[in-house]
Amino acid sequence: MLARFRFAMPTKVFFGQGCVKNQRSEWVLGSKALIVTGRSSAKLSGALDDVLDSIGVDYEVFSEVENNPSLATVAQGGRAAREAGCDFVVAIGGGSPLDAAKVIAVLARNEKDPLDLYSQGWENRALPVVAIPTTAGTGSEVTQYAVLTIERDRTKRGLGGFDMFPAVALLDPTYTESLSADVTIDTAVDALSHLVEGYLSLKADAINSSLAVQGMRMWGRCIPALRNRGFDRKVRAELMVASTLGGMTIAQTSTTVLHAMGYPLTYFHGIPHGQANGILFAAYLRYVHQTAPQKVGEVLVNLGLTSLNEFQQLMEDLFKDKRRALKVDEEVLPAWAQRAAATKNAANSIGNPSPRAVEEIFRKSLLR
Ligand code: NAP
Ligand code: FE
């Protein structure tokens, strides 16, 4: 018998070249927009021009979002939205600007210290957000999560709320054409980790797994391009849809211990988020394989791979130079493992990973 499940995904999704201009009536959701971007990608990708050409209402631009956004940045953005009287938010960029915009939309209606959102939640519904991704990785355009850097705790942490789901997501894969091969690969592996972790999550069910399976198949077709570091339009389109499918999956399942383990590599060593997951990925899959060999086998089949060794080789091919350059002090690993094993993501993982098991995954990945 099937276990109980539920499914809720309130974001309207439009896919296709030109969708920002073509779908204007769907995404101009108020009379004044706060447009939230990173420093340069919104312009470089062409997305900002498309938004400005078609918005037709008043707007302010907040272009201060850094990679791995801080609490201070979202506080500043929230203030900007309140002071300018914005009634909707347009987010353009990779996961960093998208995530920041989602919290800014909460702070626009709730004048609070952003750190308190984690412990106290918020009362007033966030402003509606229109999300326009320029990377194909985080799936943030269809999730209710935002990941912020918490300096006090020296880590990154996810914040979630149903009203943080963007109202509209506009997916135009041509915006990813200005990405470097490195960022394309890093972000693609983030998408892969959402698809695979979602599929291997304790909250996997019939509906969300079907999203993950379709996403893994599309991702698998992109493997030759990722290996060759050459991306044509078809591949860019498939990576973008696979990434959105990954976001839709983790919106239901959340992520697992792999994401929790990647955060210290990003926080302490500046490793981009997807790459951090990629470096730990094969050892994580081998760990899950001990308890759920069939499910891991299904992941490999969906990706078009035949063995865990082949998967490990793929991650090595994508990241070998980066991994070689990474020097992690062995002595920090017990503390990192303790912390990752204590997260909700770990509790959502097959095998109920203990601190010891998590430390072993770190060791196998980082000390080889
Ligand atoms: P990112 O941090 O948003 O961007 C990485 C770099 O790529 C930035 O320098 C950015 O420039 C540049 N860039 C973005 N799009 C570009 C384009 N089209 N052309 C040229 N350069 C471009 O990277 P990301 O991997 O997309 O997002 C990572 C963040 O998302 C992390 O904080 C991660 O924790 C979070 N995340 C969130 C979720 C979720 O569910 N909400 C899931 C996974 C990860 P600019 O600085 O100019 O923008
Ligand atoms: Fe992620």
Side-chain angles (χ1 to χ4, degrees):
M1 211 177 69
L2 287 178
R4 289 174 187 218
F5 61 78
R6 61 179 210 163
F7 183 86
M9 216 300 288
T11 308
K12 267 193 191 179
V13 179
F14 297 92
F15 172 82
Q17 186 176 353
C19 61
V20 168
K21 289 190 168 177
N22 298 338
Q23 301 296 339
R24 183 193 176 275
S25 61
E26 295 283 353
W27 65 262
V28 179
L29 301 176
S31 55
K32 184 164 188 182
L34 185 75
I35 300 177
V36 177
T37 74
R39 305 242 157 89
S40 60
S41 62
K43 285 195 196 99
L44 265 181
S45 62
L48 182 62
D49 281 345
D50 286 351
V51 165
L52 298 184
D53 285 348
S54 39
I55 194 164
V57 297
D58 206 1
Y59 62 84
E60 297 264 329
V61 179
F62 180 77
S63 55
E64 301 298 316
V65 182
E66 72 280 45
N67 294 358
N68 307 303
S70 66
L71 295 169
T73 298
V74 294
Q76 199 190 338
R79 237 179 350 261
R82 288 194 299 272
E83 282 167 8
C86 296
D87 56 3
F88 73 115
V89 174
V90 178
I92 307 173
S96 297
L98 265 46
D99 282 5
K102 287 152 79 173
V103 183
I104 288 170
V106 171
L107 294 170
R109 285 255 177 93
N110 298 274
E111 202 169 340
K112 286 176 89 113
D113 181 332
L115 193 55
D116 291 340
L117 299 174
Y118 283 85
S119 52
Q120 301 166 7
W122 53 95
E123 275 145 32
N124 306 317
R125 200 185 150 88
L127 292 180
V129 173
V130 180
I132 307 176
T134 64
T135 61
T138 69
S140 178
E141 67 278 3
V142 289
T143 74
Q144 70 281 46
Y145 312 123
V147 186
L148 300 176
T149 299
I150 315 278
E151 283 303 333
R152 186 195 67 179
D153 302 339
R154 307 191 80 196
T155 190
K156 294 179 64 177
R157 259 178 75 192
L159 178 69
F162 197 77
D163 57 343
M164 280 169 56
F165 270 110
V168 179
L170 297 162
L171 314 179
D172 183 337
T174 62
Y175 295 152
T176 65
E177 286 173 8
S178 52
L179 284 172
S180 65
D182 277 347
V183 180
T184 303
I185 292 168
D186 294 346
T187 47
V189 172
D190 187 24
L192 177 68
S193 67
H194 300 154
L195 293 162
V196 172
E197 288 176 72
Y199 194 74
L200 299 177
S201 140
L202 294 181
K203 291 192 218 121
D205 64 37
I207 292 185
N208 60 48
S209 293
S210 67
L211 298 168
V213 164
Q214 176 62 12
M216 286 188 273
R217 288 182 184 158
M218 292 181 99
W219 201 97
R221 290 199 286 270
C222 300
I223 290 174
L226 290 160
R227 272 215 166 94
N228 297 331
R229 299 170 66 84
F231 309 95
D232 61 17
R233 287 208 156 173
K234 181 163 178 279
V235 169
R236 294 248 178 235
E238 292 221 279
L239 285 175
M240 181 154 266
V241 175
S243 163
T244 299
L245 287 166
M248 287 179 177
T249 304
I250 59 165
Q252 310 304 320
T253 62
S254 30
T255 53
T256 69
V257 73
L258 178 60
H259 260 67
M261 293 178 70
Y263 292 149
L265 287 177
T266 299
Y267 185 87
F268 292 106
H269 293 273
I271 305 292
H273 171 65
Q275 194 182 119
N277 295 348
I279 288 170
L280 303 163
F281 216 144
Y284 157 79
L285 275 189
R286 286 190 195 281
Y287 167 77
V288 178
H289 187 261
Q290 293 168 10
T291 317
Q294 192 180 332
K295 289 216 86 173
V296 174
E298 287 159 9
V299 165
L300 296 171
V301 167
N302 285 316
L303 292 172
L305 300 174
T306 52
S307 66
L308 275 171
N309 285 345
E310 209 184 328
F311 183 90
Q312 181 166 350
Q313 191 59 50
L314 173 64
M315 291 300 126
E316 274 170 21
D317 290 347
L318 297 181
F319 299 120
K320 58 177 176 294
D321 300 338
K322 322 266 168 24
R323 210 194 69 70
R324 278 200 205 116
L326 174 66
K327 300 272 180 283
V328 175
D329 187 352
E330 189 176 352
E331 285 166 19
V332 303
L333 296 183
W336 287 10
Q338 196 83 40
R339 183 176 233 177
T343 56
K344 279 193 197 151
N345 314 58
N348 188 33
S349 304
I350 289 176
N352 190 21
S354 62
R356 203 189 182 91
V358 175
E359 187 178 333
E360 200 47 37
I361 299 173
F362 274 131
R363 285 178 172 279
K364 285 189 177 139
S365 311
L366 302 173
L367 304 180
R368 273 180 300 139

